[in-house]
Amino acid sequence: MSICSIDDMYTGEKHRAIRLGKEDAKDISELYREVWLKAYEYPEEWRKKRAISEEEVKKEMDSGYFFFGVRIDGRLVGVYKASITERGCFGEHQAVLPEYRNQGVASAMYEQFYEFAKANKCKVNYVNILAGNEPCERAMKKFNFYKTGEPWEQSKGMFVQTYERKVDEEG
């Protein structure tokens, strides 16, 4: 499957999600450390695994992951990564700085995630969210995702639910 070469961007109601490059790796790593190390609803092992270094970000970019984020006044305040799989466009590792939550940052990223999948001719977007996480479940409903399968153990003691949504290829 070919990856779209356009400048992957979505302008949301208030914010714009843009594709990030290796020059953004330090900012991505700092945001992940700030958010994930304090995400106490997740097991400690998982939090540490998600707080990746600048070098790990670059390595993931080299291995086919795409990073997208939202900057406000030059500061990276939200980020997620995506990959194109046989199933569709997989989104994961989303993080928004606490002081920027409930301001449309995640919404801009979810809308851009859809446009990225559409540009790459994916039939679905899909994600795994922490089972029972009410804010994530509300986001799934808002952006027309539906459950697929049963919750499963992604990390010891951590159950996630896979959600997906169809991507309209027509326009």
Side-chain angles (χ1 to χ4, degrees):
M1 175 173 296
S2 67
I3 302 302
C4 106
S5 61
I6 62 170
D7 181 23
D8 304 298
M9 182 185 317
Y10 171 77
T11 302
E13 294 173 15
K14 295 169 79 175
H15 304 294
R16 182 176 72 171
I18 59 170
R19 186 161 166 194
L20 302 171
K22 288 184 180 179
E23 67 278 5
D24 301 299
K26 182 178 181 195
D27 291 346
I28 294 167
S29 174
E30 288 174 358
L31 189 149
Y32 277 151
R33 281 196 307 269
E34 188 169 340
V35 172
W36 280 99
L37 291 176
K38 296 174 186 169
Y40 299 117
E41 64 272 27
Y42 294 87
E44 183 177 9
E45 171 189 334
W46 187 256
R47 295 192 321 256
K48 288 180 179 178
K49 185 176 168 181
R50 298 311 248 180
I52 62 177
S53 70
E54 181 178 350
E55 293 74 29
E56 289 171 305
V57 170
K58 290 176 182 177
K59 186 176 179 182
E60 288 193 353
M61 287 178 179
D62 287 340
S63 69
Y65 286 97
F66 299 86
F67 286 78
F68 300 92
V70 173
R71 287 189 180 276
I72 296 176
D73 297 327
R75 182 179 185 199
L76 187 65
V77 301
V79 68
Y80 83 95
K81 69 182 182 185
S83 56
I84 305 299
T85 69
E86 286 185 19
R87 180 176 178 178
C89 184
F90 179 57
E92 62 179 320
H93 213 161
Q94 186 182 59
V96 177
L97 292 174
E99 62 269 32
Y100 290 93
R101 292 183 185 153
N102 299 313
Q103 296 181 32
V105 173
S107 292
M109 290 190 289
Y110 275 113
E111 292 295 339
Q112 186 278 332
F113 178 45
Y114 180 88
E115 294 301 324
F116 181 68
K118 188 174 174 180
N120 284 285
K121 300 185 180 1
C122 295
K123 296 198 182 308
V124 297
N125 275 142
Y126 67 105
V127 298
N128 298 319
I129 68 161
L130 188 62
N133 183 301
E134 291 182 19
C136 288
E137 289 173 352
R138 282 194 304 273
M140 295 298 94
K141 185 175 182 179
K142 177 180 178 181
F143 292 102
N144 300 313
F145 283 82
Y146 51 88
K147 289 181 182 182
T148 60
E150 295 297 320
W152 54 280
E153 193 171 27
Q154 188 172 28
S155 184
K156 186 169 174 52
M158 185 182 88
F159 285 84
V160 298
Q161 174 68 55
T162 302
Y163 283 81
E164 71 176 34
R165 67 177 166 185
K166 301 287 185 210
V167 175
D168 176 15
E169 297 176 4
E170 295 193 13

